[in-house]
Amino acid sequence: MEIGVDSFAAILPDPATGLLPSPTDRMADLLDEVETADRVGLDVFGVGEHHRAEFLDSAPAIILSAAAARTSKIRLTSAVTVLSAADPVRVFQEFATLDLISRGRAEIVVGRGSFGEAFPLFGLDTRAYDDLFAEKLDLFLKLGEETNISWYGRYRPALHGEGVFPRPHQPRLPLWVGVGGTPRSFERAGELGLPLMIAIIGGTFDRFRPLVDLYREAGRRAGHAPEKLVVGVHAMGFVGETDAEAKEAFFPGWAHLTGTIGRERGWSTPTRQPFEAMASPEGAFLIGAPATVAAKMLEASETLGGITRVTFQMSTASLETAAMKRSIEFLGTEVAPIVRAARIAAA
C-alpha cells in the first residue's frame, strides 16, 4: 500500500489573535513538509486546487514544481485538478513540464471539483458540470496518446493536428480519477479502466463499498483487467504521539474550516461530538497514534476490498508547523512500516 500526504495549503487564523499567518511563510512551510515526506520515505505528496481565501493552492503545478526541485524520490500529484474548469491542453503541458523537472515523478488526479468557485472565475456554466468533465477527460486522455491531435468537442475549440509540447518524461502521465459519492463518477472511471481516488472526508468507510463494487463491475464489463482497477483513498488524517495528542492538534483547524464552509452550505455548526465519532475506530478519520492509524488503514483496505494508496489530508492542522512535520515523520517511520509488514505477511 502506498502512503502519502495531500495538502490544500490551508491558511488558518491564529485561534488566540484571529490573525492570519503570512502566505509567504505558509508556502515555505508547505515545501518543508514535502521535503520531510520525501526524507522519511513516503510514496506520494499531493497538492489540491481551490480558488478560495482559505487555501493557497490555486496553481498546484507550480507548487509541485518547486517541490520537485527540492526532493528526489517522492511522487508528486495534484489532489485534485479541477479539469472541468481548465483547458486540458494547458493542464497537460503543465504536468508534462513537472514530469521533466521531477525526472518522471509526476502524476495527476482529475475531478469535477467539490467547490464551485472555478466555474464563474473562468466563465463556465455550472449547469454543464458533468458534461464539461466528461469531454475534457476524453481530450486529456487523447493528449497522452498523441502528440499531434485532431479532436472536436462542444466546450473547447477543436484541434486540427496541432502539436502539444512538451511531452512528459514518462511514456504516459499516470492519471487517477478523483471521486466523491456520485455513483456515475465511479462507474465512468471503471468503464475507462482508470485508477480511482475516493475522497472520504467523513462518515465511515463501509458506506463506500457498494460504490467501489460498482466501479469494479463497470470495469469488468468494459473488459479491463482487474489489476488496472486500483482504488485509493484520500482521508482526513493526522498522526501524533498519542491518540489524544493527534486529536487535539487536528480539531481546531478542522472545526474552523468545516464551520466556514458549512455556513455557506447550510450545515450545522461543527462540534466535538461528530469529530470524536469520526476519529473513533468506526469512523473514517485516520487520526491517532501510529498503531491506531495503521490499524484503521488496514481495516479500511479490507472493508473496501483492497486499496492501493492512502493519502492523508492533514492541512487543517497547519497552524502548528512543527506538529505537521512530526506527523509526517510518524507516518513515514512508524505507520508505514506497520502497514507494509502486515501486507507482506498477508500476501
Side-chain angles (χ1 to χ4, degrees):
M1 183 190 297
E2 295 179 336
I3 300 172
V5 175
D6 288 335
S7 176
F8 296 165
I11 182 164
L12 303 173
D14 186 300
T17 66
L19 298 176
L20 289 172
S22 158
T24 303
D25 290 343
R26 176 68 190 105
M27 193 64 74
D29 289 340
L30 172 58
L31 293 174
D32 285 345
E33 291 160 18
V34 187
E35 279 194 288
T36 301
D38 185 56
R39 175 174 54 79
V40 299
L42 291 182
D43 298 292
V44 62
F45 200 104
V47 174
E49 179 191 341
H50 300 83
H51 302 271
R52 300 175 56 93
E54 299 92 348
F55 307 112
L56 300 176
D57 61 350
S58 63
I62 294 177
I63 299 173
L64 293 168
S65 292
R70 296 172 56 166
T71 56
S72 60
K73 293 174 288 187
I74 197 165
R75 298 192 67 79
L76 301 164
T77 185
S78 59
V80 306
T81 294
V82 185
L83 192 63
S84 306
D87 181 345
V89 173
R90 194 61 176 144
V91 172
F92 183 88
Q93 291 174 320
E94 290 170 347
F95 279 83
T97 302
L98 169 63
D99 203 45
L100 297 176
I101 294 169
S102 65
R103 294 184 176 269
R105 292 185 283 129
E107 297 186 4
I108 184 167
V109 181
V110 298
R112 300 183 303 174
S114 61
F115 291 85
E117 289 82 6
F119 290 84
L121 185 64
F122 298 113
L124 297 163
D125 189 345
T126 55
R127 290 174 296 182
Y129 182 71
D130 191 65
D131 291 342
L132 279 163
F133 179 71
E135 178 178 293
K136 292 184 176 185
L137 178 58
D138 174 70
L139 174 54
F140 193 89
L141 291 171
K142 287 182 170 59
L143 290 167
E145 298 169 355
E146 304 174 42
T147 301
N148 296 81
I149 183 170
S150 295
W151 178 90
Y152 301 87
R154 293 172 58 196
Y155 301 104
R156 189 210 184 276
L159 294 165
H160 304 282
E162 293 87 352
V164 178
F165 303 102
R167 307 307 294 177
H169 177 88
Q170 299 172 89
R172 289 190 66 129
L173 279 172
L175 180 143
W176 298 64
V177 177
V179 298
T182 305
R184 177 57 193 147
S185 296
F186 285 77
E187 190 174 37
R188 175 167 46 214
E191 290 167 352
L192 294 170
L194 295 172
L196 187 76
M197 179 58 67
I198 313 169
I200 303 179
I201 58 173
T204 59
F205 290 110
D206 60 358
R207 70 187 182 95
F208 285 86
R209 179 58 187 263
L211 294 170
V212 172
D213 290 344
L214 176 65
Y215 160 72
R216 290 182 170 131
E217 177 59 20
R220 186 195 65 77
R221 289 197 310 266
H224 297 295
E227 58 267 23
K228 287 188 66 177
L229 302 171
V230 300
V231 175
V233 167
H234 158 101
M236 295 286 189
F238 194 81
V239 190
E241 189 80 41
T242 65
D243 291 353
E245 178 189 288
K247 288 190 285 188
E248 288 306 316
F250 198 82
F251 176 76
W254 173 84
H256 173 80
L257 280 178
T258 303
T260 300
I261 296 165
R263 284 190 292 273
E264 299 173 6
R265 300 184 178 186
W267 299 347
S268 59
T269 301
T271 63
R272 190 73 187 218
Q273 185 176 358
F275 174 83
E276 289 289 345
M278 288 183 284
S280 72
E282 295 76 28
F285 283 5
L286 301 173
I287 298 175
T292 300
V293 170
K296 286 191 76 172
M297 291 171 65
L298 292 166
E299 185 176 350
S301 182
E302 183 176 352
T303 298
L304 295 174
I307 55 180
T308 300
R309 175 180 291 182
V310 176
T311 57
F312 284 62
Q313 206 297 86
M314 55 175 68
S315 290
T316 51
S318 63
L319 278 174
E320 183 55 61
T321 302
M324 282 283 288
K325 291 180 187 176
R326 185 65 179 139
S327 178
I328 293 169
E329 289 175 347
F330 276 134
L331 198 56
T333 61
E334 298 196 30
V335 175
I338 295 172
V339 172
R340 290 165 182 158
R343 295 292 286 256
I344 290 170

